[in-house]
């Protein structure tokens, strides 16, 4: 059983090339109490045309193609960790709520900010994440978000103290540098380094950036 869950943010830039045709993940089986929260949102955003249901569904790890996900070796490492390592992964999605890297998703255009963030908080997305953590019996949960992104608001709304088996939780962001491209790439590099150290050593800085860990438990 995997002990560490890493929660990532989705990205605006996407593509239509499937990299993992033989992979899949049934997220709903892991969240039986709260799966309707995701299902209702997906139906709504599909009706509104935000989710392009005419596009071919591909794994989320293939779909996302932004600066974080384009970091050399990142996708390969995530896939390898899921199949053989000690870490599990979830991605907070502005249209799907939560997706596993091997969840098949359509293309979509929506950002996690403003009224969309408020919609997800009001409709219970933090409870979905909470149930996934509880049922997976994770000991450590870490988020990786850009400093100004709303994803951390979802993360913070989880009732962390309810999760009795959880030993440590929090999210990382980088401070003291400019440029979202550089920030996201460094965040990916930080995550890879932390996985290598099994999260036992947490650096205070990486290159020109200060590493900030905001603990939620």
């Amino acid at each position: 059983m995997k002990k560490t869950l890493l929660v990532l943010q989705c990205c605006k830039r996407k593509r239509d090339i499937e990299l993992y045709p033989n992979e899949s993940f049934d997220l709903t089986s892991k969240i039986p109490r709260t799966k309707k929260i995701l299902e209702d949102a997906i139906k709504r955003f599909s009706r509104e045309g935000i989710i392009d249901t005419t596009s071919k569904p591909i794994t989320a790890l293939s779909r996302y193609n932004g600066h974080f996900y384009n970091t050399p070796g990142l996708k390969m490492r995530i896939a390898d960790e899921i199949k053989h390592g000690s870490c599990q992964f979830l991605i907070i999605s502005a249209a799907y709520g939560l997706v596993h890297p091997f969840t098949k998703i359509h293309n979509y255009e929506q950002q996690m900010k403003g009224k969309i963030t408020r919609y997800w908080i009001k409709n219970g997305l933090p409870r979905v994440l909470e149930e996934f953590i509880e049922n997976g019996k994770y000991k450590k949960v870490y988020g990786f978000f850009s400093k100004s992104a709303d994803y951390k608001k979802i993360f913070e709304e989880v009732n962390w103290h309810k999760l009795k088996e959880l030993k440590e939780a929090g999210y990382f962001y980088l401070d003291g540098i400019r440029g979202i491209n550089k920030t996201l790439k460094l965040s990916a590099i930080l995550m890879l380094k932390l996985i290598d150290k099994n999260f036992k050593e947490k650096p205070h800085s990486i290159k020109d950036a200060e590493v900030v860990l905001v603990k939620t438990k």
Side-chain angles (χ1 to χ4, degrees), residues 91-191:
I91 302 167
I92 299 177
S93 162
Y96 281 85
L98 286 176
V99 296
H100 184 270
F102 290 157
T103 300
K104 300 289 179 69
I105 62 173
H106 294 285
N107 197 16
Y108 67 87
E109 291 295 333
Q110 183 152 270
Q111 297 181 49
M112 187 67 81
K113 61 181 182 180
K115 66 178 183 179
I116 297 303
T117 305
R118 293 191 292 273
Y119 166 87
W120 279 118
I121 291 175
K122 179 182 177 181
N123 286 278
L125 183 57
R127 289 194 288 116
V128 183
L129 177 56
E130 183 181 309
E131 185 184 6
F132 187 90
I133 296 166
E134 183 177 32
N135 291 344
K137 302 184 186 302
Y138 295 100
K139 303 298 183 185
K140 299 178 181 180
V141 179
Y142 300 110
F144 290 84
F145 312 126
S146 52
K147 182 180 178 180
S148 60
D150 272 8
Y151 302 95
K152 63 180 183 290
K153 295 181 180 179
I154 305 295
F155 196 88
E156 288 172 332
E157 287 291 324
V158 170
N159 186 358
W160 293 103
H161 297 292
K162 176 187 174 185
L163 300 166
K164 302 303 182 184
E165 295 195 38
L166 187 66
K167 302 302 181 185
E168 185 176 60
Y171 60 87
F172 290 91
Y173 70 83
L174 300 178
D175 204 3
I177 55 172
R178 294 183 178 180
I180 190 64
N181 300 355
K182 184 177 181 181
T183 299
L184 290 171
K185 286 183 179 296
L186 275 182
S187 182
I189 293 170
L190 170 65
M191 187 184 77

Side-chain angles (χ1 to χ4, degrees), residues 10-14 64-66 107-111 151:
C10 68
C11 64
K12 183 177 181 180
R13 190 164 65 187
K14 304 175 185 69
Y64 296 127
N65 197 41
N107 197 16
Y108 67 87
E109 291 295 333
Q110 183 152 270
Q111 297 181 49
Y151 302 95

Side-chain angles (χ1 to χ4, degrees), residues 33-91:
R33 299 193 309 273
T34 58
K35 64 181 181 180
K36 195 172 186 298
I37 293 171
L38 302 188
E39 292 170 347
D40 288 349
I42 292 168
K43 288 177 183 177
R44 171 187 168 172
F45 294 139
S46 296
R47 285 196 309 269
E48 294 175 355
I50 292 165
I51 296 175
D52 178 12
T53 55
T54 66
S55 64
K56 181 180 178 180
I58 62 174
T59 55
L61 191 57
S62 301
R63 177 72 70 190
Y64 296 127
N65 197 41
H67 298 288
F68 182 92
Y69 293 93
N70 269 338
T71 301
L74 182 91
K75 290 189 176 186
M76 184 182 299
R77 183 60 184 274
I78 289 175
D80 188 61
E81 279 292 321
I82 292 169
K83 291 186 281 187
H84 308 295
S86 61
C87 294
Q88 184 59 280
F89 295 80
L90 277 184
I91 302 167

Side-chain angles (χ1 to χ4, degrees), residues 143-144 171-177 186-187 189-191 193-194 201-214:
F144 290 84
Y171 60 87
F172 290 91
Y173 70 83
L174 300 178
D175 204 3
I177 55 172
L186 275 182
S187 182
I189 293 170
L190 170 65
M191 187 184 77
K193 288 181 178 294
L194 287 166
E201 299 177 23
K202 301 179 180 72
H204 297 293
S205 63
I206 180 168
K207 296 191 177 180
D208 299 326
E210 176 190 358
V211 176
V212 179
L213 171 59
V214 178

